[in-house]
Amino acid sequence: MTQKVVCSGIAVLDRVYSFDRLPLTPGKHLARGYRENGGGMAATAAVSIVALGGRASWFGRLGADATGETLLGMLRRLGVQVDGATIVPGGQSPSAGVTLDAEGERVLCVYPGSNLPEEAPIPAEALDDAGAVLADPRWVNGAEQVFAMARARGLPSVLDAELGPSHILQRLAPQAGHAIFSERGLVDFTGIADPEAGLAQAAATLPGIVAVTLGARGSLWWHGQTIVAMPAPRIIARDTTGCGDVFHGAYALALAEGADTLPAARFATAAAALKAVNGNGWEGMPDRAAVLALLKEAW
């Protein structure tokens, strides 16, 4: 049976401006390309799960505006179940401005939306046929709801512990079975700049699986009371936007399918690397065949 992951958190409309080099000074800069993509941690993870052969439902909050309508349309077209989304009259949906260079590096400026209520229900039956849950820290109440329901059902739960206010990460990370930090998120959580030292500190305070993603350097995992390095394949990146979100989505799907931690991490690493190669927002998600082919290679 195809496994389902329930994803709770933010969806963002990305407005992407392409440059040969990222602008470094104030003033007017002429982009060589423009496109609009779907983005946001939990929503991007949901799209990646479907592309990898799983099922995903997304729960989040959007304004009753054109941006929200566009995002819902994109998610539905790409196979994500969105009937449980909260649509708020008078709310403003999240959006982002992205500047992207020829090497795939980017600067991301996110507006999280406005007038979107923190308290919005996720029905318990949403998890009836789920194999795992995933949440990001942009909607705290939603994350706490799915984590509590996952604990009650004995399901794996994954926190995309991206950078943000430290008190939010301190609140959510202990509730997740798998707290997977970005490098900056781990600094926010621990106050420690060195990833290995920060990971050890986080592992000493958190009850579940703890890891930190390091982009092209792969990831580090606290496993068996020691740190295990998971390398990443060498690739030529087209666009790194959303790669961390794809990592978390692929990891959650692998857990839902019964994979152990480190095999799930390698599966997620391959998916994220291929997303960097493909670029092109939600339209550039790698499929299962491409990931399995990369996993057969030595890296």
Side-chain angles (χ1 to χ4, degrees):
M1 179 180 176
T2 303
Q3 290 296 332
K4 171 184 167 182
V5 180
V6 172
C7 302
S8 170
I10 195 169
V12 180
L13 185 63
D14 288 342
R15 297 176 170 91
V16 183
Y17 300 85
S18 300
F19 295 86
D20 292 325
R21 296 181 180 179
L22 292 178
L24 299 177
T25 59
K28 183 181 291 185
H29 302 276
L30 296 179
R32 59 176 172 81
Y34 172 81
R35 66 179 186 270
E36 292 185 357
N37 295 325
M41 290 178 280
T44 300
V47 173
S48 73
I49 288 163
V50 174
L52 291 167
R55 294 181 295 134
S57 59
W58 177 76
F59 291 86
R61 305 156 300 155
L62 293 170
D65 55 15
T67 298
E69 290 179 5
T70 297
L71 286 166
L72 286 176
M74 288 177 172
L75 288 165
R76 289 192 181 103
R77 178 174 57 79
L78 293 169
V80 177
Q81 204 279 330
V82 294
D83 291 347
T86 297
I87 310 303
V88 184
Q92 189 171 7
S93 298
S95 61
V98 185
T99 55
L100 176 71
D101 73 10
E103 302 299 321
E105 291 298 329
R106 83 280 194 243
V107 174
L108 185 64
C109 301
V110 180
Y111 175 65
S114 62
N115 298 321
L116 303 177
E118 178 65 20
E119 305 291 331
I122 299 175
E125 57 268 25
L127 273 67
D128 282 352
D129 56 348
V133 305
L134 175 149
D136 67 43
R138 301 296 182 256
W139 180 26
V140 175
N141 180 260
E144 291 185 324
Q145 289 184 69
V146 296
F147 288 163
M149 290 188 283
R151 282 196 303 275
R153 295 170 181 254
L155 297 178
S157 56
V158 178
L159 173 65
D160 184 344
E162 180 56 275
L163 78 160
S166 61
H167 71 277
I168 291 178
L169 295 180
Q170 295 286 347
R171 177 174 169 179
L172 291 180
Q175 301 182 50
H178 301 253
I180 314 300
F181 292 87
S182 69
E183 190 168 4
R184 291 182 62 187
L186 185 61
V187 173
D188 287 341
F189 184 75
T190 64
I192 299 172
D194 177 71
E196 291 195 9
L199 183 62
Q201 174 64 29
T205 62
L206 296 176
I209 301 296
V210 185
V212 56
T213 58
L214 304 172
R217 293 174 287 150
S219 56
L220 300 175
W221 297 76
W222 187 261
H223 187 75
Q225 301 302 307
T226 190
I227 292 175
V228 176
M230 178 66 63
R234 290 189 176 184
I235 52 101
I236 298 175
R238 177 183 176 188
D239 182 359
T240 58
T241 305
C243 292
D245 310 330
V246 171
F247 183 100
H248 289 82
Y251 180 76
L253 176 60
L255 293 179
E257 294 175 344
D260 290 334
T261 299
L262 295 181
R266 193 166 189 270
F267 179 81
T269 302
L274 290 171
K275 178 64 181 72
V277 172
N278 295 347
N280 202 28
W282 287 353
E283 306 296 335
M285 293 296 177
D287 61 20
R288 188 73 168 233
V291 172
L292 293 179
L294 183 54
L295 287 173
K296 293 179 181 178
E297 300 181 11
W299 38 274

